[in-house]
Amino acid sequence: MNNKKKNIKIEKPKIFLSELPVFTQLEIQSNDFFEMGMIVDCVIEDQEANKVTFDKIIFKNVTFTESTLTGVELTDVIFEQCDLSNVDFSDAIIHRTEFKECKMIGTNLSRGTLRNVLFDSCIADYATFRFANTKQVIIQDSSLCKTDFSFSKLQKIELFRSNIDQAQFSGTELDGIDLSDCEFNGLGVDVTNLQGCTISREQAYIFANLFGLIVKE
């Protein structure tokens, strides 16, 4: 296994577990503010709200279904073994937040602002990060097949041991991004945006085929 050392450090959520009350249900309305709590073993369904704030909250084994939480603000939040598939988090502001062993298939994070965010062992195939602004983000041991990062600003983002096959990066500058530890057979990229991107020798052949180049042995 490749144990490439992380070059960036991210701030962890500032949560004190001993102080958190536990809840097993949650009703959400626009502009609600939720602070200092642990939400466990429940289903949050058919929720539609805007500008909701979660501060120092842990979600554990929570399933979100048919929910739209546009403009949500997450600060010092942990999602652990949660199902966030197809949740609309567009225009979210996410800071010091961890997604650990979460299912995020089709999750919409377009136009989101992400700072100090960890995605660890997540399944985020078909997720959308279009027009997102990210800084200090680590993605590791995750699946992001056909995930859309088009027209995003990716700063200090690191990807480790993740499958990004057929991910879309059109209109996104990849300067400073290291993809050498990732698995893919093809990507949606613009050749003009590849300058400064780090890839492995094996991946060079994939890009050669992608752009119609012939590599002689």
Side-chain angles (χ1 to χ4, degrees), residues 21 31 34 49 67 85 98 100 105 146 152 164 169 214:
N31 301 306
F34 298 92
S67 293
S85 296
E98 296 180 347
K100 303 166 70 173
I105 297 174
K146 298 187 177 180
S152 294
I164 59 171
F169 291 93
I214 298 174

Side-chain angles (χ1 to χ4, degrees), residues 23-39:
F23 303 94
T24 57
Q25 61 181 355
L26 188 69
E27 294 292 330
I28 305 172
Q29 296 183 353
S30 292
N31 301 306
D32 275 351
F33 184 91
F34 298 92
E35 183 180 24
M36 299 286 293
M38 179 179 289
I39 301 162

Side-chain angles (χ1 to χ4, degrees), residues 49-105:
N50 185 45
K51 301 293 185 181
V52 179
T53 299
F54 295 96
D55 192 332
K56 295 180 176 58
I57 299 289
I58 294 177
F59 294 89
K60 186 170 184 178
N61 193 30
V62 176
T63 297
F64 290 76
T65 62
E66 303 295 329
S67 293
T68 298
L69 299 175
T70 55
V72 66
E73 184 168 344
L74 307 173
T75 303
D76 297 317
V77 174
I78 296 175
F79 293 91
E80 185 174 347
Q81 296 179 328
C82 293
D83 190 343
L84 299 160
S85 296
N86 297 312
V87 173
D88 187 353
F89 279 157
S90 56
D91 300 298
I93 299 174
I94 305 177
H95 183 42
R96 289 196 304 269
T97 293
E98 296 180 347
F99 298 88
K100 303 166 70 173
E101 298 182 49
C102 290
K103 187 175 180 182
M104 304 179 70
I105 297 174

Side-chain angles (χ1 to χ4, degrees), residues 70-217:
T70 55
V72 66
E73 184 168 344
L74 307 173
T75 303
D76 297 317
V77 174
I78 296 175
F79 293 91
E80 185 174 347
Q81 296 179 328
C82 293
D83 190 343
L84 299 160
S85 296
N86 297 312
V87 173
D88 187 353
F89 279 157
S90 56
D91 300 298
I93 299 174
I94 305 177
H95 183 42
R96 289 196 304 269
T97 293
E98 296 180 347
F99 298 88
K100 303 166 70 173
E101 298 182 49
C102 290
K103 187 175 180 182
M104 304 179 70
I105 297 174
T107 302
N108 184 1
L109 288 160
S110 59
R111 300 182 303 280
T113 301
L114 283 68
R115 299 289 186 270
N116 294 288
V117 178
L118 171 68
F119 297 90
D120 183 9
S121 303
C122 293
I123 301 174
D125 302 335
Y126 299 98
T128 300
F129 291 83
R130 289 175 65 87
F131 297 98
N133 185 312
T134 73
K135 189 174 184 180
Q136 305 292 116
V137 173
I138 293 176
I139 301 172
Q140 62 187 25
D141 300 306
S142 296
S143 179
L144 295 97
C145 295
K146 298 187 177 180
T147 296
D148 192 351
F149 291 94
S150 297
F151 306 103
S152 294
K153 187 174 183 180
L154 307 181
Q155 303 178 78
K156 295 186 179 180
I157 179 171
E158 295 195 342
L159 297 98
F160 300 94
R161 303 177 300 273
S162 293
N163 189 336
I164 59 171
D165 191 39
Q166 305 303 321
Q168 180 62 250
F169 291 93
S170 295
T172 298
E173 296 285 346
L174 296 178
D175 185 19
I177 306 298
D178 188 342
L179 301 179
S180 64
D181 204 35
C182 292
E183 176 185 350
F184 58 88
N185 293 315
L187 296 175
V189 294
D190 299 326
V191 64
T192 55
N193 293 330
L194 282 174
Q195 185 173 354
C197 178
T198 300
I199 59 175
S200 69
R201 184 182 301 275
E202 294 78 11
Q203 291 167 347
Y205 287 91
I206 295 174
F207 281 103
N209 291 330
L210 181 65
F211 296 115
L213 302 177
I214 298 174
V215 179
K216 295 181 69 174
E217 297 292 341

